[in-house]
Amino acid sequence: MKLVILACLAAVAVAAPQFSRHYTHPYHPDYRHIAILRDDRQDNGDGNFRYDFETENGIAVSAVGRPGSRGQSNIQGSYRFPFPSGGYGEVRYVADELGYRPSSPLIPTPHPLPAHAIEQIRIAEDQRRRGITFQ
């Protein structure tokens, strides 16, 4: 019986969440409350809204929304957050009938096509325009 209890205690200790020094949970000894410096919200009740907030550690969120043509909200906004190593990251976005489209230097982009690939695409488009097809 003592072995079963000891095994259960060991399992609980191993399964306990492990926190990094950059993530602090309210029960973690390094946790501290982050004050909200600004919190402005406006909802007109007709689908138009706006909100802005900022915290003391540099997190900031801003958005403006309007009713969309298909019953959705069309939103333009941005959010900023601090990096653990210093500096900030920022993402601007649009969310509407065409989906969510973020833009930021933080978002990876594909490598540019090599010149020979661009030339082949141009040739294929020219052939398609002239009606040339291949079987």
Side-chain angles (χ1 to χ4, degrees), residues 100-116:
Y100 176 73
R101 298 182 312 280
S103 65
S104 170
L106 302 172
I107 298 172
T109 57
H111 292 286
L113 290 174
H116 70 276

Side-chain angles (χ1 to χ4, degrees), residues 57-60 79-83 87-91 106:
N57 68 344
I59 294 173
Y79 51 92
R80 179 186 72 198
F81 51 91
F83 291 125
Y88 291 91
E90 184 171 2
V91 176
L106 302 172

Side-chain angles (χ1 to χ4, degrees), residues 22-71:
H22 299 297
Y23 173 76
T24 53
H25 187 272
Y27 300 118
H28 191 272
D30 293 336
Y31 175 80
R32 76 177 183 89
H33 178 76
I34 304 298
I36 296 175
L37 302 176
R38 183 172 44 90
D39 186 354
D40 300 320
R41 302 172 201 218
Q42 178 184 352
D43 185 348
N44 297 344
D46 59 358
N48 292 291
F49 64 90
R50 160 187 303 275
Y51 60 84
D52 292 288
F53 75 81
E54 187 173 0
T55 64
E56 70 178 324
N57 68 344
I59 294 173
V61 177
S62 176
V64 175
R66 292 176 296 288
S69 63
R70 298 180 185 162

